[in-house]
Amino acid sequence: MMQLFQTDRIHYLKDKMLSEPRYASIEQALIITDTYKKNEEKPRIIQRALALKASLEQMEIAAEPEELIVGNRTAGVRYGVVFPESGSTWVDREFETLPTRPQDRFHVHEEDIKTFREVIKPYWEGKSLEDVLNQRYGKEIHEIGKVVKINQKDHAQGHICPNCVEWLQFGPAGYRRMAEEKLAAAESESQKLFYRAVAIVMEGAQAFMMRYHDLMIRKAEQETDTDRKASMINVAENCKNLSVRPAQTFHEAVQSTWFLFVILQMESNASSFSPGRLDRHLIPYYEKDIKEGRLTKQDALEIIENMWLKFNEIVYMRNSGGAKYFAGFPIGFNIAVGGQDEDGNDYSNDLSFLFLKAQQHIGLPQPNLSVRLHEGTGEALLKEAVRTVALGSGMPQFFNDKAVIPSIMELGIEEADARDYAIVGCVELTTQGNNLGWSDSAMFNLNKALEVTLTGGTCLLSGDRIAPDYGNLTEYETFEDLEAAFQKQIDYFIDKMILACEQVEQAHIDLLPSPFLSATIDDCMEKGMDVTAGGAKYNLSGIQMIQVANLADSLAALKQLIYEEKRFTKEEVLHALKNNFEGYEYMRQVMLNKVPKYGNDNNYVDNLGTKWATYFKDKLRTYTNYRGGPYHTGMYTVSAHVPMGENVGATPDGRFAKDPLADGGMSPVYGRDVKGPTAVLKSVSKLDKNLTTNGGLLNMKFLPEFFKNETGIQKFANFLRSFVDLEIPHIQFNVVRKEDLIAAKKHPEQYRSLTVRVAGYTAYFTELADELQDEIIARTSYGDI
């Protein structure tokens, strides 16, 4: 077998990308604003379509002569885009601080700030998603904000996997013809508007592709090197072909896939549009070219690695609060390899291995590479995935078909679609090309709900009343009384949360219809209905439970120390919590060291976490979302365990006020899992797989020395087989020394490309805020299994 290597072309492109400064851009905002001003009388879906078309036709574009895959949403690399349709009030508030804020910084041009305030802000004031939602329901959303974080308030939903296979089969020209044919036969006015909008955006997509053809031809005309000139002309021809017909070659298919995701970003400015099972989508083109002698594995790897770099050229600019909850630019281009085919047989191919090889070479945060495992996963793919993990980029992460497939079928997903599941964003589960899962609807802080249960509805940090008074700790005669009050608080905040989620969905329907995205989601074209309005085959809404490890540890401490052993009085414990354990260090040490902790395979504490996670899931399932689909639960935090922890007072597990909560979602509190990684798996396995149909996350950290020989690789592969057998949905790893992280924090300029797994995604360590860096350093490291 030929030795695959990374080419000089890829080395050069990677180094150039990493050296580019990151700016905030208002260029598309100006085009969108101008388009709306010229079309104020038109329906919103047409305004949106015309604004996207204008952006595709007018945005400045750029490409490197060395690139095999071209296209970006801005001419600059990793630019943050101001997007006035969804939110501009926060931009006005934070523009000057973008270069200096603690997390996810962007350079700014002073003239852009002036233009924004003179041209963009005045037009969009009161009209953007952010402003309209604030007018309609801002007070109510703010009132529950200490317990529930409502998402998608100032940007489009994203978190969706388009039908990549169909896109490759039709291309923009095919979708445009389809829309025009359906428009001619449409009966209702809403259908006519939808098909007209689809035709408009596809025309823009064709023009966008041709613009890259023209750009590369102009560059080629100035090129003297024969090989570089031929490469540029080939890239240009690919773009031209794709503007008028479907992809035919592997190179065209990869280019077409990238164009799809660039345009989705330009339409919605959202995170987590994901390609899904790309090793399946692209394999027909690869095999055809290999068979006909047009392509070698090395050629294919170079094209793939160029696409891998492109995935890193798009970031998402959030407001400062959002940047804390979603730190490190987790744009979430999730690619899944392996798993099962439609008949349940093991599935992998050459591309599965080439994608892993690309990750080994590139080692950057995007795409978010995932490997699907099951009982029949081949040893070759499993070991190659372990070797990739061992290199320390935080990828791939692993998903368990044995847990995922039956659990999502409980939501009404057909078996064929369930077997073909993919992942969007961090760890959110989805079906491919037919599902608006709205997987990032809200985050529910179970620990804050427990706090107000203990205090009678009062916030320990502010002293304000933020919840109903169902009693306080001193009034609960039994542990069951405490649990009954806790249940009431959960019910109260779930009711409020659902009302807020409905308002958000309604605002998206009114203000952010997405005709380009809708065309690539099954059933929307058949119905003539936008995806935001319920046009997809499946319509779900996902809520994250934050954070079961701290909750279980806290409930175990209350149960054991107050109600069973009577070691401390209720009054003493409440006073200690109100005073952040000042004067109560002995009590805190008892809480930390004399009570069982989640993550050590102890039923006393593990079952408390399972009990309340199950209650939350069951309660949520009684609601239906605005599009007629079910609500379901996830257990992952992105980076929210840090800011959500800052919002929680001292807790009965011995945690100080404002300290981070446990990372991940199913992970133990760092430092408390003292019985090793196998005990962690056993604790996590008690959380039933149907608790995480919206995605679950288990974070673990191993030392690099563990992987130094083939014995370590085999032991780790066996560990992952145990993960499958225990029906845990997800696991991911950091492979890094604590000393290296400390050094990187001290000398960031020397560790520019160091990446770590945060929570469902990989980020550059040196780009994370201090608090998040410290939390990652503190996580437990394992040297053996």
Side-chain angles (χ1 to χ4, degrees), residues 264-327:
L264 286 171
Q265 289 293 332
M266 291 180 70
E267 178 179 54
S268 294
N269 187 43
S271 62
S272 305
F273 290 110
S274 292
R277 302 181 74 183
L278 206 56
D279 56 348
R280 295 199 76 185
H281 305 338
L282 295 176
I283 194 64
Y285 305 92
Y286 170 85
E287 290 180 339
K288 182 173 182 287
D289 283 5
I290 290 283
K291 182 179 179 181
E292 296 178 0
R294 281 198 301 269
L295 189 74
T296 67
K297 279 190 178 182
Q298 181 61 51
D299 296 333
L301 180 62
E302 188 175 43
I303 292 168
I304 290 164
E305 291 186 354
N306 202 151
M307 177 172 61
W308 251 233
L309 293 176
K310 299 303 286 186
F311 280 119
N312 287 276
E313 289 188 5
I314 293 180
V315 301
Y316 177 57
M317 186 170 72
R318 302 175 187 272
N319 64 42
S320 58
K324 291 175 71 175
Y325 282 82
F326 304 89

Side-chain angles (χ1 to χ4, degrees), residues 45 48 156 194 267-268 508 512-519 530-532:
I45 193 170
R48 287 266 290 156
F194 174 78
E267 178 179 54
S268 294
H508 278 251
L512 295 178
S514 305
F516 183 82
L517 170 63
S518 298
D530 193 84
V531 68
T532 62

Side-chain angles (χ1 to χ4, degrees), residues 95 105 231 369 392 431 532 626 695:
F95 220 142
R105 296 171 181 167
S231 175
L369 187 62
T431 53
T532 62
Y626 206 83

Side-chain angles (χ1 to χ4, degrees), residues 56 163 165 225 271 319 323 405 440 509 553 563 580 681 755 781:
L56 291 165
N163 192 330
V165 173
D225 183 278
S271 62
N319 64 42
I405 292 171
D440 197 25
I509 293 169
D553 290 358
Y563 292 101
N580 197 23
L681 289 190
T755 58
S781 294

Side-chain angles (χ1 to χ4, degrees), residues 117-309:
R117 295 222 165 97
E118 290 177 355
V119 179
I120 299 168
K121 176 179 178 284
Y123 182 80
W124 287 99
E125 209 151 17
K127 299 176 185 176
S128 70
L129 174 73
E130 176 189 17
D131 290 348
V132 169
L133 255 177
N134 195 46
Q135 294 157 15
R136 291 180 181 178
Y137 213 67
K139 178 175 177 288
E140 292 83 354
I141 290 173
H142 177 74
E143 285 175 350
I144 62 172
K146 296 283 187 181
V147 175
V148 179
K149 182 182 185 299
I150 301 295
N151 294 321
Q152 323 305 342
K153 300 189 300 293
D154 62 6
H155 58 271
Q157 163 58 215
H159 294 86
I160 197 165
C161 183
N163 192 330
C164 293
V165 173
E166 189 179 85
W167 169 262
L168 290 171
Q169 292 170 348
F170 289 109
Y175 279 115
R176 182 180 174 186
R177 283 193 299 273
M178 189 192 311
E180 289 169 346
E181 290 168 3
K182 288 183 176 295
L183 175 60
E187 296 180 357
S188 73
E189 186 59 30
S190 64
Q191 288 178 317
K192 290 177 182 178
L193 288 173
F194 174 78
Y195 293 129
R196 190 175 300 132
V198 171
I200 290 168
V201 295
M202 293 302 166
E203 183 183 356
Q206 289 179 277
F208 187 61
M209 295 175 182
M210 275 303 298
R211 292 180 68 208
Y212 278 98
H213 165 269
D214 297 344
L215 174 65
M216 293 303 281
I217 290 296
R218 288 196 300 271
K219 286 178 175 287
E221 288 171 349
Q222 300 168 8
E223 182 58 60
T224 56
D225 183 278
T226 305
D227 290 340
R228 276 162 53 107
K229 187 184 187 79
S231 175
M232 293 160 70
I233 291 173
N234 183 48
V235 170
E237 287 301 308
N238 287 346
C239 297
K240 181 179 180 180
N241 292 338
L242 293 172
S243 74
V244 294
R245 62 156 172 79
Q248 293 181 357
T249 67
F250 179 74
H251 196 172
E252 285 183 357
V254 174
Q255 178 67 73
S256 179
T257 299
W258 178 240
F259 273 139
L260 168 62
F261 287 92
V262 171
I263 298 170
L264 286 171
Q265 289 293 332
M266 291 180 70
E267 178 179 54
S268 294
N269 187 43
S271 62
S272 305
F273 290 110
S274 292
R277 302 181 74 183
L278 206 56
D279 56 348
R280 295 199 76 185
H281 305 338
L282 295 176
I283 194 64
Y285 305 92
Y286 170 85
E287 290 180 339
K288 182 173 182 287
D289 283 5
I290 290 283
K291 182 179 179 181
E292 296 178 0
R294 281 198 301 269
L295 189 74
T296 67
K297 279 190 178 182
Q298 181 61 51
D299 296 333
L301 180 62
E302 188 175 43
I303 292 168
I304 290 164
E305 291 186 354
N306 202 151
M307 177 172 61
W308 251 233
L309 293 176

Side-chain angles (χ1 to χ4, degrees), residues 27-28 31 55 57-61 73-74 211 266:
E27 184 185 7
Q28 190 176 2
I31 295 170
S55 299
E57 293 173 346
Q58 298 173 30
M59 287 283 293
E60 183 184 354
I61 63 172
R73 62 181 304 189
T74 56
R211 292 180 68 208
M266 291 180 70

Side-chain angles (χ1 to χ4, degrees), residues 443-478:
M443 295 175 169
F444 192 104
N445 193 334
L446 289 164
N447 294 280
K448 195 68 177 181
L450 179 61
E451 178 182 307
V452 295
T453 302
L454 302 179
T455 63
T458 301
C459 173
L460 280 177
L461 299 178
S462 68
D464 296 335
R465 178 168 299 284
I466 62 170
D469 183 357
Y470 297 128
N472 65 57
L473 178 58
T474 66
E475 299 170 324
Y476 306 136
E477 292 300 318
T478 66

